[in-house]
Amino acid sequence: MTTASPDCYCVMGNPIAHSLSPHIHTQFAQLTGQAMAYDRLLAPLDGFAATAQAFFAEGGRGCNITVPFKLEAARLADETSERVQLAGACNTLVRRADGRLFGDNTDGLGLMADITQGAGWALAGQRVLLIGAGGAGAGVLGPLLAERPAEVVVANRTVATAEDLVARHGPLSARLGVPLGACGLAGAPLAQAFDVVLNASSSSLAGAASPVAASVIGPRTLVVDLMYGQAARAFLDWAAAHGAHTRDGLGMLVEQAAEAFALWRGVRPPTAPVLQALRAQAG
């Protein structure tokens, strides 16, 4: 009697040793009874496409993509979701039965799930500030608009980058009836408080407290950093000192992984026990 080998998945990036994805997906597989193996795969900075193609040629079924390869992953896919087309970035690849690669971006879906379900914070009718118009910000803007907030402002150090991101999402925002604007990090729209502030900028990687003034925070503002752990600490400490409710990106990490898992396996895993265990490990 022989036992079939588990389906193979991975997370690909550079660096990659720090990734929690193998732990998360292993827990998902156990909770849902799925036969799958999941590992980290380091891709050379100049060899992402070749590494990914080799992985799939050897039987890989799906792959998560992390920095700095999300833009390249979008170009590598044979077909992409509307989320990838709007963001220009892909964090999930799946090999179809015909061998073609389908690319999706689950980051925004994960963030919205963590805010609305994990934090229990409704986004509909809220004024939202999105700080950062790079890959992280681009990945969450579409799903954010789908929550139908009252308004979204994208603030970025380079205003032209924010304006380009807003322009790409213009038809979607118009279709949903959600006002969408762009400004610099000291723009006039930031003079008053927002209901929700999302930090998708690179400031946390540099350990900076905040790229914007405290005027964006009111007594009932929810502030979320897309980073987690020590990387998010300075920004969230700054926000808490100004009276905000704060949340890091660990829940987003787990929820976006669940979206990828569902795309691959057709089963959406429970996220609460996995997130609870990760927070307990982090102390």
Side-chain angles (χ1 to χ4, degrees), residues 3 41 70 108 177 191 255 262 265 272 276:
T3 301
L41 185 57
K70 292 184 181 182
E255 294 291 349
R265 308 300 296 180
Q276 183 179 11

Side-chain angles (χ1 to χ4, degrees), residues 2-283:
T2 60
T3 301
S5 299
D7 295 330
C8 294
Y9 298 85
C10 75
V11 58
M12 194 179 306
N14 189 330
I16 200 61
H18 67 286
S19 176
L20 295 174
S21 292
H23 172 78
I24 293 170
H25 283 282
T26 297
Q27 294 300 305
F28 286 165
Q30 292 174 355
L31 289 168
T32 57
Q34 296 291 304
M36 57 183 287
Y38 189 107
D39 205 354
R40 302 175 183 88
L41 185 57
L42 178 69
L45 292 176
D46 60 351
F48 165 74
T51 304
Q53 288 166 342
F55 171 76
F56 286 111
E58 293 167 5
R61 296 286 300 276
C63 182
N64 287 133
I65 312 298
T66 187
V67 293
F69 300 126
K70 292 184 181 182
L71 300 182
E72 288 186 68
R75 296 192 292 267
L76 180 66
D78 299 302
E79 180 186 357
T80 59
S81 68
E82 182 184 15
R83 287 183 290 271
V84 171
Q85 294 162 23
L86 285 173
C90 168
N91 79 333
T92 303
L93 290 170
V94 57
R95 180 167 60 86
R96 300 292 203 194
D98 62 2
R100 290 169 59 82
L101 295 181
F102 174 77
D104 202 352
N105 192 316
T106 66
D107 284 336
L109 296 176
L111 179 60
M112 298 308 110
D114 184 57
I115 292 174
T116 59
Q117 301 169 32
W121 197 287
L123 288 165
Q126 302 280 284
R127 293 186 66 249
V128 181
L129 171 63
L130 175 61
I131 307 171
V140 305
L141 183 53
L144 172 59
L145 291 171
E147 293 293 324
R148 297 182 183 272
E151 177 188 10
V152 176
V153 174
V154 180
N156 194 61
R157 181 179 55 186
T158 304
V159 179
T161 304
E163 291 174 338
D164 178 67
L165 181 61
V166 165
R168 293 207 309 271
H169 286 75
L172 177 62
S173 67
R175 187 164 72 245
L176 296 172
V178 179
L180 176 61
C183 69
L185 296 178
L190 309 190
Q192 54 182 308
F194 289 79
D195 299 305
V196 179
V197 175
L198 308 175
N199 184 25
S201 73
S202 60
S203 61
S204 294
L205 292 174
S210 174
V212 296
S215 56
V216 302
I217 296 177
R220 291 180 296 276
T221 301
L222 173 67
V223 174
V224 182
D225 197 311
L226 273 60
M227 301 296 292
Y228 59 89
Q230 192 59 38
R233 182 50 46 207
F235 178 75
L236 294 183
D237 284 349
W238 167 85
H242 288 89
H245 305 276
T246 62
R247 191 170 183 86
D248 72 2
L250 190 60
M252 172 188 172
L253 177 70
V254 173
E255 294 291 349
Q256 67 80 26
E259 295 290 344
F261 190 94
L263 177 64
W264 294 332
R265 308 300 296 180
V267 177
R268 198 178 196 289
T271 55
V274 177
L275 178 58
Q276 183 179 11
L278 285 175
R279 291 209 184 280
Q281 291 172 15

